[in-house]
Amino acid sequence: MSEHQQSLEELQHIKKMMERSSRFISLSGLSGMAAGVSALVGAWFAWKRLHSTESETYNLVRIIETNGTRILDDLFWIATYTFIAAFISAFFFTYLRSRKDKVPMFGTATMRLFWNVAIPIAVGGIFLIRMMQNNEFELVAPGCLIFYGLALVNGSKYTLGEIRFLGYGMLALGIMNLYYVSYGLYFWAMGFGVLHIVYGAAMWMKYERNN
Amino acid sequence: MSLIEGLNKIFDNRIRLGIMSALVVNEEVNFNELKELLDITDGNLASHLKSLEESGSIKVQKGFIGRKTNTTYSVTKAGEKAFKAHIAALEQMIRSTK
């Protein structure tokens, strides 16, 4: 082997070891797709529930005035089940991939990724809950998209860097949604559903299909 | 001549190179994580860590998590400097033999 080739291989080895020890690289594209499908199913249930009131409006405050607060409980449970389904299915595919890659699931890199994603999401969650307690519902969907987008951009330094683009997509949809607040559910389904699926499929094609 | 000087003998091994790569991008890494990362046996890893420690490239911290021992490793200033020089020498080598 030539010296040139040997040096090149050594540098590639260094790069690989640096990445594997500092980034959680086993995030599976299938996890993104599973989360996206969960979100679309959840959005469909929420849409059905909103339409079941025979109200002419999507304005939740007005729907509550005429139909009572039961719809809020129902929407809350739909959101909770959607989150649980998305989380478990996403965790499952990533767990499988980490087993295959022989990368520890709960190493330093994973914990770093976890905290950097969890902080913007937890703060955003508290903010949105306080907003709903003050009877402000219109900004919940764009709020979800924006805080989640920020969490992804922040987390991209600690996992596969491409997740940054998913974050930018969420942020763009969230900001657009701020100007068309009555279409919150559609923007939400577009972001959490369609973007997740597109991103997941692209990542799967790039990293996993040939393994 | 300077080319060869930059290439550090101590890093002239896949395992030791891997250990250094992981340590320069993390504040500290523990024994088990290094073992999983490099996919080698305890004894093999321990002997490479020993030689890196003796050369002054890394330092060892012994601690506990509950009752289990938790030995973590981090890179020294001198080790980081030597490792960067090693990478620069590799780069130089590639450029000059193109």
Side-chain angles (χ1 to χ4, degrees), chain A residues 170-206:
Chain A
M170 296 284 176
L171 289 173
L173 280 174
I175 289 167
M176 277 193 273
N177 193 180
L178 286 174
Y179 295 91
Y180 299 94
V181 283
S182 49
Y183 298 97
L185 190 58
Y186 297 100
F187 278 96
W188 194 94
M190 191 69 195
F192 285 90
V194 178
L195 278 192
H196 265 144
I197 292 172
V198 170
Y199 162 83
M203 294 302 278
W204 185 79
M205 302 266 270
K206 184 169 176 188

Side-chain angles (χ1 to χ4, degrees), chain A residues 47-66:
Chain A
W47 186 81
K48 287 267 284 186
R49 184 65 185 88
L50 284 170
H51 275 252
S52 68
T53 61
E54 291 170 11
S55 292
E56 292 290 308
T57 170
Y58 281 140
N59 188 321
L60 258 181
V61 178
R62 236 171 289 155
I63 294 177
I64 293 161
E65 276 167 8
T66 47

Side-chain angles (χ1 to χ4, degrees), chain B residues 22-40:
Chain B
L23 294 188
V24 292
V25 290
N26 289 282
E27 275 171 47
E28 51 175 36
V29 183
N30 72 29
F31 190 89
N32 287 329
E33 279 176 315
L34 282 175
K35 201 181 127 184
E36 278 184 81
L37 180 72
L38 300 159
D39 201 17
I40 54 172

